[in-house]
Structure formats: C-alpha cells, structure tokens
Amino acid sequence: MPKRVDWPNADPANDVNHQCCSLFIITSDTTCVLLTTQQPPRCQHQLERLSRLLQRAGVNPAAGAEVVVDPQESHPAQHPSPPPGQSPSHPQGRSPSLRLEHHGHEKEQLLSKKEIVVTPTRQSTRIADIVDHEKKVSLRSAEQLKTEVRNNMADRKEKAKPAPKTRETEFGGPVGALFITLSLPLVMYYINLACTKAKCSILELPKMPKNPWILFDMEATLLFFGWLAFQAVLALVPIGRVVDGQPLQSGKRLKYRCNGFFAFVASVIAFGICVYFNVPLVKMVHAKFYRIMTSAILFSFILSIFLYIKERAVAASQLAPGGNTGNALYDFFIGHELNPRIGSFDLKFFCELRPGLIGWVILNFVFVLKAYQDTGAFPPALTLVVAFQTLYVGDALWFEDAILTTMDIIHDGFGFMLAFGDLAWVPFLYCLQPRFLLDNDPKLAWYSLAGIALLNVFGYMIFRRANSQKNDFRKNPFHPSLADLESIPTSSGKRLLVGGLWGMCRKPNYLGDLMMALAWSLPCGLTLIPYFYPVYFAVLLVHRERRDGAQCQKKYGSSWNRYCERVPYRIIPYVY
C-alpha cells in the first residue's frame, strides 16, 4: 500500500494559495506534502513547485512518481457535513490524504516507512526558508526575463533606426587621424633606436637599418602571438567577479569578467618558471626586442582593419558616439564600434589592460634579469623603477572594474587609436626607463633614491585615494562613507563630486599619475630621452582632461558651469 501522510483538522486559514483549490503545504522537519481535494489545470504550476520543494526538504520521490489524492479519503459521500467553522473540503477527524504513485513498477514508492502525522499549527522554519528562497529565485528570474525582453526590443528598435552621424571630430579630423596613424610607429622606432647602450641622445638621428625587413622576424612574431594567446586563455578562465558595465544607448548593460589580477599573477609565475628552468624565451625577448615590437605594430594595423570591416555591419546601438562620421580614415582611427565582441569575448576590454600592461611588466623583469646575469647584482635604480611600475600595473588590474567607467570604455570606439596604444605603444615605450637603466646606471646615492621613492609613494597615494573616491561615488553617491563629501546635482539625475580630493582640482588622479611618471624618470639622471614619458603623459592627460570637460559641458550644461566655478583648477591646484 502507498504511504499516506494525513492532515488532521485542516484549516483553510493555512491555505498557501486561496485561488488554487484549497492548496496546502503540510510541513514538518522531514516532510513536505501538498494537500488538495481537486487538481484543476490552474493548480498544475503549484504541483510542479511542490516537486521542487519536496526535493529541497529531503524527500526525493522516484522518477515517474506523481502526487494524487486518495479517493477513499476524499470522496464527499464518506464525510458528514462539517460543523460551522470547519472547512467543507476537510471533514472533522480525517482529511483527504495524499500518496506517491510510481507507474511502471509493481511496488509503489513510499514517502517514508512509517506514517507521519503533522499539524498545521506551526510551520517549519526549514520549509519557510525554502519558500522564501523560491520567492527570491522567482523574482530574480522575472527580472532577468524582463531585462532580456527589454534588450531584445531595444535591439530591434535600434536596428530599424539609421545610425546617428558624428558631427564633431577630434585630433584634427581625418587629416590629423592620418598623420597620427603614420607617425606613431615612426616615433616608437626613433625613441627606442636613439637610446642604446652606446649612446642615448634625442639630438642625433638614430641609424636606421638599410633593410627594414631586418626588423621583422618570424620567431619574434610567433612569440608575440603566443603571448596574446596565453593572455586570451587566462581571460577566459572562470575566475573573478562578473560585473555589469555602464548602460549603453539601448539601455543594455554588458557583462565583464574581471580576472585581470589573476592573469597578472599567473603571468609573473609563468615568467618565474621559465627563469627557473632556463627556458630560452627570456633571452629571446631581450635579443629580439625590436622585432617583437615590429610584430606588435603590424598586428595593431591588422586588428584595426579587421575591426573596421566588422563594425560596418553592426546595429546603431553598438556604434561609438564619436566614431560614425562616415569618413573611413577617421572612423578607422577613432573606432567605429563601441564594444566589439566575438561571442562574449570583449576585444577592447581585453586589450586595454591585459597584453600591453602585463607585457610591460614582463619586459621590465627581462631587463632586471639581464642586469643580474651581467653583473651578479640587482642595480638599485633599475630595481626601484621596476618596482614602481609593477605596483602601478598591479593596482590597475586589482581595480580592473574601475576601467568600465572611463572614457576609453564608455565613449571611445575600438579602432587604431586604442589598439595601437594598448598593444604596441604602452609595452614598448613605457619600459623606456628600465631599458635605459639596464645599459646606463647613473649610480645615484641612497638618499637620492629615497627621495624619489617618497615622491612615488605620495603620487600613488593621491592617485589611489582619488580613484577610490570617484569609483565609490559612481557606484552609490549616497553611501554613508561619502556623507561628508559635497556634490552638485545635475538635470540628468547624476551628481558631480566636489568634496575630498575632487574639491582641490578636477582631475586629482591625473596629478598623482604625473608625480609617479616623474619619479620613474628621475633615477635616469639628466639624460633627456627617459623624460619622454612624463612629457608625453602630461600632454596626453591635459588633452584628455579637455576632451572630458567638453563632453561634460554637453551632458550637464549649467550644472557643469557651477562645478567649474566651485573647482577652478584642472589638474594641479593653484597652478593649472
């Protein structure tokens, strides 16, 4: 006989769903049973829910089992009319009972080996938690469904719309874009070839090889592509948080897996393993520095062409605000699509921090290792600068999600400007000071190095504090930890931060950046070429601040004017 689970003295007040035929959930610490005298179609969803609750409560009926009403107990003729106040569907003394039947087996599967009687006077805490969890899961599923529907509807609308044309250009328009595209690779070769072990002077033209193909090498190319593939594999490892990006024009939010710091640590460990086992890759990187740089430059052009062709067919909602002029040269340079992806793999997000920044650190480690192999010691100036730059890159990857609110991600498309900068310019020019110190040690006194280290520490503290305040404020401007920071409301609903470091100047994080850039160059003494980085970086940040200010003026209008009156200095307080 199938096991019965009886419900004596049932009370309709305990009905879980009054609209579903006296549907009850009978609970105890070990049992979760549905009781109903009828099973019309509209109760089916509750019956399905019961099976999930049974499993969560530890009751797992065999495959094919179903909940049925015992006809002997539920037949109305067997029960006298209930007294007043008693449920008509559950006569006094006995109530309809349920059993689990299993079709296709000779034996019926039982709920348990002995009869369990439960009372409705006290609901189990365990099942209450399960029901509450089910409600939360249902709400979350409903929200996800709404988001998917909204995103699909937004995509259909945007695909039907013509893409809005970009009216204003930057960087000198198409002519400026062409000039920058052609000149940046030449600048890279000039700076690196002008600073060698024999001499390092910006006033003398470096000797260019008579045969340009000497700067290309298949082995170096394979090494570069191997590095890209290694970083791509690390980016796909399901480690780290998945965070939402900023809302797009369509209202969608893209998802990003932030495991950059994991990739950074894994890369450093891989480098250490190569050193320990004397893998020739390390020596090859130093010997083929220029050839690897050439591979990075060529790949940047190839990737940019691929991106431009791919981006011609995307929906209007996926275009970059500033990259749809209709001019092929300008859109190729600035980037036509905002967030180009292959499946869920975001190409711009990947290139922004992974191959270039981590590659920069690995190149630095190669120079330190070469110095140690040549001298048997770690040169203090070189080691100090490499430590500074490693901290800087590690910080960027630890706070990887902060890049999702930057201009590069939310405004600029992914074209030659970012592709070349991320993959070629950053790793092969930002390592200029360590490469110089490898061949030209100025032998600075310890107190000089201590002062330089202090400058870097102060710069980093300003940089990190400013970025933390900005990121926390963007996430939740009303967080208690930000209660003492003043802000200005805008018509868009956002607020402009004018408290803390952001009340001293409009870009205090840029101030910290410039202090650190100077600290990286001072150990090189009075040679001019290593100071290319802080000079270039100052020009870059001034231009970037101007671009950001122009966009904020359009977005916030009079609120931005009040902000500029409240915070008059741009980067350096009382100076600029």
Side-chain angles (χ1 to χ4, degrees), residues 227 231 353-364 393 427 431:
W227 172 252
Q231 291 302 316
L353 295 180
R354 306 302 183 90
L357 281 185
I358 301 177
W360 170 21
V361 171
I362 297 301
L363 286 173
N364 284 351
V393 172
C431 68

Side-chain angles (χ1 to χ4, degrees), residues 258-318:
C258 295
N259 63 356
F261 193 78
F262 158 77
F264 175 63
V265 173
S267 301
V268 172
I269 292 175
F271 176 82
I273 293 173
C274 289
V275 173
Y276 183 80
F277 288 102
N278 293 317
V279 177
L281 290 176
V282 177
K283 294 180 180 180
M284 190 188 303
V285 169
H286 179 263
K288 296 180 178 290
F289 176 83
Y290 294 106
R291 294 173 175 84
I292 299 172
M293 183 177 74
T294 300
S295 300
I297 292 172
L298 291 176
F299 178 73
S300 298
F301 277 94
I302 294 171
L303 176 61
S304 301
I305 294 171
F306 163 77
L307 290 170
Y308 182 74
I309 295 173
K310 172 186 177 296
E311 292 161 357
R312 300 300 295 175
V314 300
S317 61
Q318 300 176 20

Side-chain angles (χ1 to χ4, degrees), residues 84-102:
Q86 184 69 33
S87 170
S89 60
H90 307 291
Q92 190 173 7
R94 293 294 291 173
S95 65
S97 60
L98 301 179
R99 65 188 180 192
L100 291 176
E101 290 185 352
H102 192 278

Side-chain angles (χ1 to χ4, degrees), residues 92 108 152 194 199 224 238 279 282 287 324 328 332 357 399-400 450 468 473 490-491 502 517 539 552:
Q92 190 173 7
E108 295 175 313
N152 290 335
K199 61 179 179 179
F224 174 76
V279 177
V282 177
N324 189 36
F332 166 83
L357 281 185
F399 297 98
E400 185 179 16
S468 295
F473 186 81
T490 67
S491 57
W502 294 88
V539 174
C552 289

